[in-house]
Amino acid sequence: MSGQHGHEHSHAVVTAGNAKKLTFALVLTSTFLIIEIVAGFVTQSLALLSDAAHMFTDAAALAIALVAIKIGKLPADNKRTFGYQRFEILAALFNAIMLFVVAIYILYEAYQRFSHPPEIQSIGMMVVAIIGLVINLISMKILFSSSQDSLNVKGAYLEVLSDAVGSVGVIIGATVIYFTGWMWVDTIIAVLIGFWVLPRTWVLLKQSINILLEGVPEEIDIEKLRDDLLALDGVEGIHQLKVWAITSKNVHLTVHLLAPCADWKALYEDAMEMLVHQHGIAEVTLQIEDDQCMAYQHSKQPSANLDDESLHQH
């Protein structure tokens, strides 16, 4: 019996550049948040207050994302062999929950206002919304590239995106109110903002929970992966195939390959090449077995492993 054990450390680490982007966006967002809250109460606009609530979650999301970067860089120890990388996912989950709470609150407040819409100061409402939109667009541009690589930053980016849409809605609402005097439009805009945010929040929540439950990452086609492993030269069967993610870009795989007649060193190299380049998985543990190895495993005796530096033949 013989086995192989391969491990390549290629964790996707959020760079210091990403932290700077988040910090800059946080300063912009927090500054405008104060302005928008005051303006929302002065103008009596629920849509503007809705936008301010989203702006608050933006600021919180950016702050949490920064904390996640700091904590995620802490080294692994004897109690946490993966370190604190999962804090990124916890931050994304928290952001999604916050968005849900805000959206539900706005919908409730809108329901309360339908029967008695207050007097809205449309000019002040529009000016503040335009400033907010500009700030959101700047923050989105700063965060976009990093949002493709980190679920944590993606959560912050989605919050800023939702707030930008909210600002557009407020501008439209203010324009309609100015020319028609229909105060109820403000409430309608607030409701539409809430409904626009919820589906995107659900996607982020689902992705975060899937990683925390160690589900197969969405970008991995498990059936194709299984077929590709079975297609490797000498492989007669596979079992114990498990694929999960520690963070949004740190995917792990373990699998046992039944290959009694194969050149195990060549098989290991072919498998690693395929997994890295075709499926984007570099954190891999492979164990190659023959019939004797299968019987050995079932007897619950310790199995021999090979790493990519050395091979042991029994």
Side-chain angles (χ1 to χ4, degrees), residues 11 29 44 46 78 100 116 119 123 130 135 174 178 188 204:
H11 302 304
T29 302
Q44 290 293 299
L46 179 61
N78 289 336
F100 266 117
H116 300 92
E119 187 73 21
I123 296 297
I130 290 173
I135 289 177
Y178 179 78
I188 295 295
L204 179 62

Side-chain angles (χ1 to χ4, degrees), residues 107-120:
L107 293 176
Y108 172 76
E109 185 66 22
Y111 172 77
Q112 297 289 93
R113 284 197 177 199
F114 266 124
S115 56
H116 300 92
E119 187 73 21
I120 308 297

Side-chain angles (χ1 to χ4, degrees), residues 100 193-205:
F100 266 117
I193 292 172
F195 279 123
W196 188 89
V197 169
L198 285 174
R200 287 150 186 80
T201 304
W202 171 249
V203 171
L204 179 62
L205 183 66

